[in-house]
Amino acid sequence: MTTILIIEDELELLQILQKYLEQANYQVVIASKGDLGLSMWEEKQPDLVILDLNLPGMDGLDIAREIRRKSDTPIIMVTARVEETDRLIGLELGADDYITKPFSPREVVARVRAVMRRVKIPKEVSNVIKSGALEIDLDGYEVSIDDEVIDLTPTEFKIIETLASQPGRVFNRLQLLEASQGNAYEGYERTIDAHIKNLRAKIESDPKNPYYIETVFGIGYRFVKEKRD
Ligand code: CA
């Protein structure tokens, strides 16, 4: 069962959302203060968080950052004004969706469904990515070449997972930084190059002439897209 955590200090709204989501077959846990919400998140490990921006105890912004630092739990941010939403999008917090008050509970349920669909599909379709001799086990966090397990750092694993999940798609360094570290500070993009270099040394038979991870000059990197016949 999918568990949803709602962090919202308007009790009436909280109860209505809870009721609608439960009717839609979600298990709902709630918190009416920011700091309580964050500990609830750690304790319950929900599948999705509906997060109000203005909260007593701890700001929604700080909660979102804290969650993103540790996981990719989908977050739907709730704001009181459209301008706040614009500002949040500008901050690139990594929230999966934004809802502005006032909203209908039905709309929230629809957004929750949409986000859950988006995050679930890739995981269910394939948990192992194969390309040539390379195999990436997304559940087991393991990469192997010709069935021999390669020892990767968590950052290297995140990078290759990100690239290989969408073969052929070009990722810039900032995107890879965000995917592997949970944040993207401009100015640190070049650290990605070092990780890619180490990755290539581990997985490529000829790191100077890489097969799996291609450099896209001036932009970033992409995972090889195999031709299918
Ligand atoms: Ca509030």
Side-chain angles (χ1 to χ4, degrees), residues 7-10 13 32 52-56 78-80 101:
I7 311 178
E8 167 65 70
D9 60 323
E10 287 173 50
L13 186 59
S32 59
D52 187 25
L53 176 63
N54 297 306
L55 288 164
V78 177
T79 67
K101 291 176 184 172

